[in-house]
């Protein structure tokens, strides 16, 4: 499983053993006070198609979020979690192991954000992106909750960047709910340029779900405006120093 994860643009199921090991190791890296807030909003999701949109601070963002869900009343959502992951998530043995804690869908980053994918012809990048979107939509139809870090790349400053308009492609299943999540603390857990984990206090805040169809109607179908609204919904969940592009 470790060797296969990320070998191609596609879907990779979770591994129960990897997930259990991370749950045990979490006690060493999540400091007291790490918590999940807004869990009451999860009760309103029922069996609806769900796309979780969160800010992006670290390669490890999805791992503490999954653990906090499991520990603080969100186990049902944690069991449904499938994460849209860029190529760097699979770039080392440690990262591939961490990716097995939940299902993942490997997708190329926007060519405007990633130098690594620049070696691929634009047509190949577009084809791989289309494949990942098709797979994601099928997983949503099968009941998975899709986790998307809609900035498309980690923030280098801690401040949130503008959401990618293309993320709206994941919101096309009828009845889809967008669940905004603001995460703090993970930027120090696995700092940029380091390969060592550091104990930190991680807090994830869940906001009220937003109907994707209502987003589309308010934006008049404008994908950029739709994701700007999602960005604002995440920003209000974050301390001021994390809001970045949506600080106003």
């Amino acid at each position: 499983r470790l060797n296969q994860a990320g070998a191609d643009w596609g879907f990779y199921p979770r591994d129960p053993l990897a997930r259990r090991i991370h749950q045990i190791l979490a006690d060493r890296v999540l400091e007291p006070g790490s918590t999940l807030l807004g869990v009451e909003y999860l009760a309103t999701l029922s069996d609806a198609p769900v796309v979780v949109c969160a800010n992006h601070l670290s390669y490890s963002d999805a791992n503490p979020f999954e653990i906090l869900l499991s520990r603080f009343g969100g186990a049902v959502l944690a069991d449904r979690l499938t994460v849209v992951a860029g190529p760097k998530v699979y770039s080392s043995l440690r990262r591939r192991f961490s990716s097995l804690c939940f299902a993942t869908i490997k997708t190329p980053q926007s060519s405007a954000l990633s130098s690594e994918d620049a070696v691929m012809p634009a047509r190949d990048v577009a084809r791989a992106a289309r494949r990942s979107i098709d797979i994601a939509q099928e997983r949503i139809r099968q009941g998975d909750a899709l986790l998307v870090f809609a900035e498309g790349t980690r923030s280098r400053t801690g401040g949130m960047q503008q959401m990618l308009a293309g993320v709206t492609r994941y919101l096309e299943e009828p009845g889809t709910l967008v669940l905004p999540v603001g995460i703090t603390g993970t930027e120090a857990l696995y700092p940029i340029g380091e390969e060592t984990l550091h104990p930190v206090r991680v807090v994830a805040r869940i906001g009220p779900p937003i109907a994707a169809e209502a987003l589309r109607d308010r934006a008049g179908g404008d994908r950029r405006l739709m994701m700007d609204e999602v960005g604002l919904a995440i920003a209000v969940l974050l301390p001021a120093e994390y809001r970045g592009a949506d600080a106003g």
Side-chain angles (χ1 to χ4, degrees):
R1 296 291 295 277
L2 280 172
N3 290 331
Q4 294 171 351
D8 195 6
W9 311 105
F11 173 78
Y12 297 92
R14 67 176 54 84
D15 182 271
L17 179 59
R19 186 181 184 190
R20 178 59 183 152
I21 290 171
H22 270 77
Q23 291 283 348
I24 294 170
L25 293 178
D27 291 327
R28 297 188 178 189
V29 294
L30 293 183
E31 292 182 341
S34 295
T35 192
L36 177 72
L37 304 175
V39 69
E40 65 271 15
Y41 293 119
L42 300 182
T44 66
L45 299 178
S46 186
D47 295 325
V50 178
V51 176
V52 182
C53 287
N55 61 312
H56 199 13
L57 299 169
S58 167
Y59 289 134
S60 60
D61 284 332
N63 296 88
F65 179 60
E66 188 273 338
I67 289 165
L68 294 176
L69 280 173
S70 298
R71 293 186 176 185
F72 293 98
V76 173
L77 184 63
D79 289 343
R80 295 175 61 187
L81 213 58
T82 289
V83 182
V84 176
K88 291 180 182 177
V89 168
Y90 308 94
S91 62
S92 72
L93 187 65
R94 176 183 292 180
R95 292 178 187 174
R96 288 198 300 275
F97 180 69
S98 294
S99 78
L100 292 175
C101 295
F102 26 71
T104 61
I105 299 171
K106 183 179 178 182
T107 187
Q109 284 183 297
S110 164
S111 57
L113 299 175
S114 174
S115 59
E116 287 193 2
D117 288 336
V119 297
M120 292 176 58
R123 183 177 298 179
D124 291 346
V125 172
R127 187 180 296 115
R130 182 68 257 177
R131 173 172 166 76
S132 71
I133 291 167
D134 290 343
I135 292 171
Q137 291 172 343
E138 176 59 27
R139 296 309 307 177
I140 291 172
R141 285 192 288 271
Q142 291 188 28
D144 291 11
L146 197 70
L147 173 56
V148 183
F149 296 103
E151 296 161 83
T153 185
R154 298 169 298 158
S155 171
R156 293 299 204 252
T157 65
M160 193 170 65
Q161 305 160 100
Q162 190 175 43
M163 305 287 106
L164 294 175
V167 172
T168 57
R169 300 290 185 186
Y170 297 114
L171 310 181
E172 295 176 351
E173 181 67 15
T176 294
L177 295 176
V178 180
L179 189 69
V181 174
I183 300 173
T184 60
T186 53
E187 73 277 11
L189 174 64
Y190 195 8
I192 292 174
E194 294 191 26
E195 293 294 328
T196 303
L197 291 173
H198 301 269
V200 291
R201 177 176 178 265
V202 176
V203 176
R205 295 174 175 84
I206 297 172
I210 308 166
E213 292 175 7
L215 268 179
R216 192 172 293 109
D217 289 344
R218 286 195 292 271
D222 187 313
R223 296 181 185 275
R224 170 76 276 142
L225 291 179
M226 288 176 65
M227 291 313 299
D228 284 348
E229 184 171 341
V230 172
L232 287 171
I234 297 170
V236 300
L237 304 172
L238 295 169
E241 63 270 24
Y242 283 88
R243 292 174 186 166
D246 290 288

